[in-house]
Amino acid sequence: KQWYQRRVAITAGENRQNVEEKKIQDLKKRKLITPIVTKFYSLTKGSEFKTIIERPEADLTADMLQDASWKKKSFKDYNFEAKGAPVTSGYLHPLLKVRTEFRRIFLDMGFSEMPTNRFVENGFWNFDALFQPQQHPARDAHDTFFISDPEMTKESKLPSDYLERVKTIHESGGYGSTGYNYDWKIAEAQKNILRTHTTAVSARMLYALAQQKEFKPVKMFSIDRVFRNETLDATHLAEFHQIEGLVADRNLTLGHLIGTLYAFFKKLGLEKLKFKPAYNPYTEPSMEIFSYHPGLKKWVEIGNSGMFRPEMLLPMGIPKDVNVIAWGLSLERPTMIKYGINNIRELIGPKVNLNMVQENPICRLNKI
């Protein structure tokens, strides 16, 4: 103890810088010394010394320029590294992004887009022109939305000659068909509805094509809303989007349809396809399209297809050797798969999260 007291006395008389660090640590361990830090500051008046605190100005205003008060003001330094305020702008909904990708695929394949701005359609173009009988369940109120005002389309707005040919093919047949053998009513065809499929647009376009003096092959597509009186659940809404493509040319066969479908879906990154026979009132033969889903490890239905029936095409005036192949699918299902959405009501409607719309990434389908 006496030895340490001598060491402390010696150390106390020495300059801190002249004492070995080992000695200091040794004394601190034995709690014989306590380090004390003393700081000193020297303050002097600067060039901008003031007794009144003034807040620097952020902007040079018109009033400052007018009364020359800017000369006595101090201003904040302009920070060129600072980020600007976020610009408020619109955002594309995921449906619009996926729609743009599908549209680009159709255009890349040489298709032209059909006008689809007619949401309100009449029963004639939506059903009768497609050789769909007037007693078909799809024409009931529990499947279709009927318009109350105006309730009917004027008969003068329907092509009279074509109307008579459609009536005949329904009632007694023709062109090798026996028809449906029922009393076709013009009043049923005049009823205004919300279109149930974009095939009504295809029917109008094919009729316009038939009125041309010389037939020219066409490839057309449409992507737009359709309306059905569906029971709402996680996968069904009363309105949804339908994607439809068609090709009209001479001597087309089912093989052309399958080849076109392979080319179309290959651009979506879907190469494993299967086709299952199906029934549609206006296509024969008809096929459901299935693709193998590697995540689910099973075959999933992705669309419907077929060749338009002669009972639909020939009354329009389409040449007998011209066939039309067509296919369709929904826009919502691939969008939900792409963005990992399980409930369609989170994609469309009042439950949509606006942050999801603003923050979702751009759409890039796995095209080949």
Side-chain angles (χ1 to χ4, degrees):
K1 182 177 180 180
Q2 293 179 352
W3 182 85
Y4 279 110
Q5 288 177 346
R6 286 197 302 271
R7 296 305 305 164
V8 171
I10 295 172
T11 304
E14 295 180 8
N15 190 313
R16 170 71 175 78
Q17 296 178 350
N18 298 331
V19 180
E20 295 179 8
E21 186 66 27
K22 184 178 180 181
K23 294 179 181 179
I24 295 174
Q25 296 299 328
D26 190 26
L27 294 171
K28 285 169 64 177
K29 287 180 181 180
R30 289 160 176 78
K31 298 182 180 181
L32 296 174
I33 61 172
T34 301
I36 298 175
V37 178
T38 304
K39 293 183 179 180
F40 298 91
Y41 297 92
S42 177
L43 302 177
T44 57
K45 293 182 179 180
S47 58
E48 298 182 2
F49 174 79
K50 294 180 181 179
T51 56
I52 299 175
I53 299 176
E54 293 183 0
R55 188 175 180 179
E57 299 290 341
D59 298 309
L60 180 64
T61 64
D63 292 337
M64 293 180 189
L65 293 174
Q66 189 173 5
D67 58 16
S69 61
W70 63 271
K71 296 179 180 179
K72 299 178 182 179
K73 300 282 185 180
S74 60
F75 294 87
K76 289 182 178 179
D77 294 334
Y78 197 90
N79 184 6
F80 291 95
E81 304 295 329
K83 295 182 179 180
V87 179
T88 54
S89 60
Y91 297 88
L92 290 177
H93 192 277
L95 276 175
L96 293 178
K97 296 180 180 181
V98 178
R99 180 188 184 277
T100 300
E101 282 295 291
F102 273 105
R103 185 173 181 270
R104 185 174 295 133
I105 289 173
F106 274 113
L107 294 176
D108 289 344
M109 295 179 67
F111 284 70
S112 59
E113 190 167 9
M114 293 183 278
T116 56
N117 55 347
R118 190 188 296 269
F119 286 177
V120 177
E121 191 56 271
N122 53 64
F124 178 77
W125 290 108
N126 197 86
F127 297 117
D128 295 282
L130 304 179
F131 195 57
Q132 192 161 337
Q134 293 184 341
Q135 67 271 22
H136 195 280
R139 302 180 74 152
D140 293 338
H142 65 268
D143 281 330
T144 301
F145 291 107
F146 288 87
I147 305 298
S148 59
D149 187 20
E151 185 178 0
M152 311 283 279
T153 295
K154 294 180 180 179
E155 186 176 349
S156 59
K157 292 188 177 182
L158 301 174
S160 57
D161 293 343
Y162 177 44
L163 186 91
E164 287 300 320
R165 293 194 294 270
V166 170
K167 176 182 178 181
T168 301
I169 197 71
H170 277 253
E171 289 185 339
S172 56
Y175 312 104
S177 172
T178 60
Y180 292 115
N181 297 310
Y182 72 99
D183 185 17
W184 187 86
K185 297 178 181 179
I186 181 64
E188 191 70 25
Q190 290 177 274
K191 290 182 179 179
N192 287 327
I193 62 172
L194 291 178
R195 67 180 179 205
T196 61
H197 47 198
T198 53
T199 314
V201 180
S202 301
R204 285 181 176 271
M205 297 301 294
L206 289 173
Y207 176 74
L209 177 67
Q211 306 316 301
Q212 297 178 1
K213 293 183 179 180
E214 183 180 353
F215 171 78
K216 294 182 180 179
V218 295
K219 295 189 293 184
M220 298 183 290
F221 78 96
S222 63
I223 307 173
D224 213 334
R225 294 185 186 184
V226 296
F227 309 87
R228 295 180 188 174
N229 196 359
E230 298 269 8
T231 301
L232 306 185
D233 57 30
T235 57
H236 295 85
L237 287 178
E239 64 173 293
F240 57 95
H241 291 75
Q242 182 177 343
I243 304 169
E244 184 165 339
L246 68 86
V247 179
D249 203 350
R250 300 184 187 277
N251 302 318
L252 291 177
T253 65
L254 189 64
H256 291 101
L257 173 59
I258 294 175
T260 304
L261 292 175
Y262 269 109
F264 175 77
F265 284 103
K266 184 177 181 181
K267 288 183 173 292
L268 299 178
L270 304 176
E271 295 190 81
K272 294 183 178 180
L273 299 179
K274 276 186 178 181
F275 304 98
K276 175 184 175 182
Y279 169 77
N280 285 315
Y282 44 87
T283 58
E284 179 62 36
S286 305
M287 300 184 302
E288 292 177 345
I289 311 167
F290 293 82
S291 176
Y292 185 76
H293 195 297
L296 299 176
K297 296 182 179 179
K298 66 177 183 179
W299 293 89
V300 179
E301 183 182 353
I302 57 175
N304 214 318
S305 65
M307 301 181 67
F308 284 137
R309 297 176 67 106
E311 295 95 330
M312 171 187 167
L313 299 177
L314 296 180
M316 293 179 175
I318 297 287
K320 292 184 178 181
D321 61 342
V322 172
N323 295 325
V324 180
I325 59 176
W327 67 97
L329 62 152
S330 74
L331 181 63
E332 281 74 9
R333 180 172 292 183
T335 303
M336 292 172 67
I337 295 174
K338 177 69 178 178
Y339 289 97
I341 299 173
N342 297 322
N343 193 325
I344 194 172
R345 288 168 289 193
E346 297 176 3
L347 185 66
I348 304 175
K351 293 185 178 181
V352 170
N353 185 349
L354 294 181
N355 288 331
M356 179 274 294
V357 176
Q358 297 175 4
E359 297 172 1
N360 65 78
I362 61 175
C363 174
R364 287 290 183 266
L365 301 177
N366 298 323
K367 297 180 292 183
I368 298 178

